[in-house]
Amino acid sequence: MKGTGSRLRLLDILRGFAVLGTLGTNIWIFAHMGDLNYIFTFIDNEWWTSIQDFVRVFVLFLVNGKLLGLLTIMFGVGLEMKYQQALKRGNAWPGMYMWTSVILLTEGFIHFTLVMEYDILMSYGITAIITAFIIKGGDRAIRRTMKIIGGLHGAVMLLILIFFTYLAVTGGNISLGDMKETVLLYTEGNWFQQVAYRLGNFMILRTEVLFVIPMNIFLFLLGIRIMRSGVFAPDENGKKKRKKLFHIGFCVGLPLNLLIFIPGGYFDLPVRYLFAPILAIGYIGLIAKLVEANEKLWLWSKLEQVGKMSLSCYVMQNVISAVIFYGWGFRLGGRVDSVTIVLIWLVICYFQIIFASIWLKQFKYGPMEAA
């Protein structure tokens, strides 16, 4: 599973898989003009009565929170590799990594302002800065932090689950409210009005960024521990560990994520913010198993190219989606059904695979990776 030079091929394949899969969640936000209800099952949740609703809920079951969780874990893996490089070269830590994180935070702010209000890069930039100091404390500090933050996040999600269960028992409804104004903005508003909306509502729109920082820190640290444990090593020990991840992810994570099919959206938040990362580690084991079974499959080399420029592809896919769906672009938002939305997602993924392959034949890094 070795790539070129010192790169581990599997890491790039997983990054590519994660970033393309992340669009599988965001595409619903673009297609429904910013209406977040469509990445949850609070509305249109009788999936057994409509093929369109079933397709949406099934895709969300596969990707919502899982691929973002996987991408977050892979960022932690990347941080660990930077840390080990600094140690080998005798460089101070965090040192230059602080600047890398600040640049990521800045790129996230630009992406948030100009493209999409649900950008994840700002959260990653903040998380990277915090995690860079935690990692200096060694394995003991990492384990302690994971216990504290993991316990805190788990407790919050458990309280939310209890409250939502109470609503289910008492016949209460869960909703993100009326988002007609947001839909109208992305349907009729121009690009400048949308930028002004994001900047004018910065704190409200960045609420999720703050909410997920504890989870992101946990997943960054999980990625670091996974890397240190030898999960990605191309030997028998690595193979055994990847098999273990596969079993944990699918034996524990899969049943928990199936709760998304329960009508009403009562389990949606726990699924996205608590159970999804469990299935994400199962995806690591699954992709590794498939790569080992047929390393020469054309798909792996294509995902590998996307993974090498995952930051560029993440931003690019959102720009493309905005052009396709928003009112100042091709205006497809709100006019296409779920099956068509999925097809558009796959077409964008195919385009990015081709683009990454062509770009990396000419340049060593992606446009944003080189910045």
Side-chain angles (χ1 to χ4, degrees):
M1 280 196 245
K2 276 279 188 181
T4 57
S6 60
R7 297 186 75 102
L8 283 172
R9 187 184 186 211
L10 179 59
L11 298 184
D12 287 323
I13 292 172
L14 287 169
R15 288 190 190 98
F17 175 70
V19 78
L20 294 180
T22 299
L23 181 60
T25 297
N26 291 340
I27 196 81
W28 303 100
I29 301 175
F30 286 109
H32 292 284
M33 300 306 211
D35 191 340
L36 291 181
N37 284 295
Y38 286 92
I39 65 166
F40 297 104
T41 61
F42 303 143
I43 62 173
D44 296 335
N45 50 40
E46 294 182 349
W47 49 266
W48 59 92
T49 64
S50 164
I51 185 64
Q52 300 299 332
D53 288 339
F54 173 76
V55 167
R56 179 175 65 89
V57 175
F58 181 71
V59 170
L60 291 175
F61 158 69
L62 292 176
V63 303
N64 192 12
K66 291 75 165 175
L67 279 300
L68 189 59
L70 176 57
L71 190 62
T72 309
I73 292 169
M74 298 313 296
F75 262 83
V77 170
L79 191 156
E80 167 65 5
M81 295 175 75
K82 293 285 187 183
Y83 178 66
Q84 294 301 328
Q85 287 174 4
L87 291 182
K88 288 180 181 178
R89 294 171 182 172
N91 296 336
W93 181 267
M96 289 300 296
Y97 188 76
M98 282 295 97
W99 290 109
T100 302
S101 302
V102 169
I103 290 171
L104 181 63
L105 180 60
T106 304
E107 289 173 336
F109 176 73
I110 295 171
H111 179 241
F112 162 85
T113 303
L114 303 182
V115 184
M116 185 191 190
E117 58 266 42
Y118 302 108
D119 160 81
I120 194 62
L121 300 181
M122 290 182 70
S123 181
Y124 283 175
I126 296 170
T127 303
I129 292 171
I130 297 171
T131 308
F133 286 99
I134 296 173
I135 198 176
K136 285 186 68 176
D139 290 338
R140 185 177 178 183
I142 291 173
R143 287 194 297 268
R144 187 189 305 123
T145 304
M146 289 183 72
K147 287 178 181 177
I148 294 171
I149 290 184
L152 205 67
H153 179 72
V156 170
M157 295 313 304
L158 182 61
L159 289 174
I160 291 174
L161 179 59
I162 291 172
F163 176 65
F164 281 8
T165 302
Y166 168 77
L167 289 179
V169 171
T170 58
N173 294 319
I174 303 171
S175 172
L176 293 175
D178 186 357
M179 301 195 73
K180 288 182 180 179
E181 288 188 12
T182 302
V183 172
L184 183 63
L185 172 67
Y186 285 105
T187 303
E188 303 297 337
N190 60 44
W191 178 74
F192 294 101
Q193 290 172 319
Q194 293 167 13
V195 169
Y197 162 73
R198 295 184 195 112
L199 292 176
N201 296 275
F202 181 81
M203 290 307 299
I204 295 174
L205 294 174
R206 296 282 73 190
T207 301
E208 188 193 29
V209 165
L210 298 175
F211 176 74
V212 300
I213 283 177
M215 181 182 74
N216 285 350
I217 293 173
F218 182 89
L219 293 178
F220 265 54
L221 294 174
L222 178 62
I224 291 167
R225 291 191 65 182
I226 285 175
M227 188 66 182
R228 290 185 178 183
S229 71
V231 164
F232 300 111
D235 55 26
E236 280 302 313
N237 182 52
K239 192 173 182 179
K240 288 179 181 178
K241 290 181 180 296
R242 292 190 292 272
K243 186 176 181 181
K244 184 178 181 180
L245 291 185
F246 174 83
H247 287 146
I248 292 173
F250 282 91
C251 293
V252 179
L254 186 62
L256 289 173
N257 279 271
L258 284 169
L259 292 171
I260 195 175
F261 286 100
I262 294 178
Y266 301 107
F267 293 95
D268 279 18
L269 294 185
V271 165
R272 177 173 166 84
Y273 297 111
L274 188 61
F275 305 148
I278 303 174
L279 188 53
I281 65 173
Y283 284 171
I284 294 176
L286 175 63
I287 296 297
K289 186 186 290 286
L290 294 173
V291 172
E292 289 163 7
N294 187 358
E295 290 195 30
K296 294 183 179 180
L297 183 68
W298 67 272
L299 179 61
W300 307 136
S301 63
K302 302 305 179 185
L303 289 177
E304 185 180 3
Q305 300 303 310
V306 174
K308 287 178 180 178
M309 47 187 289
S310 55
L311 181 59
S312 299
C313 286
Y314 170 72
V315 173
M316 184 202 308
Q317 64 188 210
N318 293 329
V319 171
I320 293 172
S321 297
V323 172
I324 291 173
F325 292 108
Y326 287 169
W328 50 263
F330 296 143
R331 303 179 64 90
L332 289 185
R335 301 183 179 186
V336 290
D337 59 23
S338 295
V339 172
T340 305
I341 292 169
V342 172
L343 290 175
I344 292 172
W345 167 39
L346 296 177
V347 169
I348 294 174
C349 289
Y350 181 73
F351 171 79
Q352 291 201 285
I353 286 172
I354 299 301
F355 179 84
S357 299
I358 295 173
W359 182 275
L360 290 175
K361 286 180 181 178
Q362 305 297 325
F363 306 98
K364 187 176 181 180
Y365 302 106
M368 295 192 68
E369 285 75 12

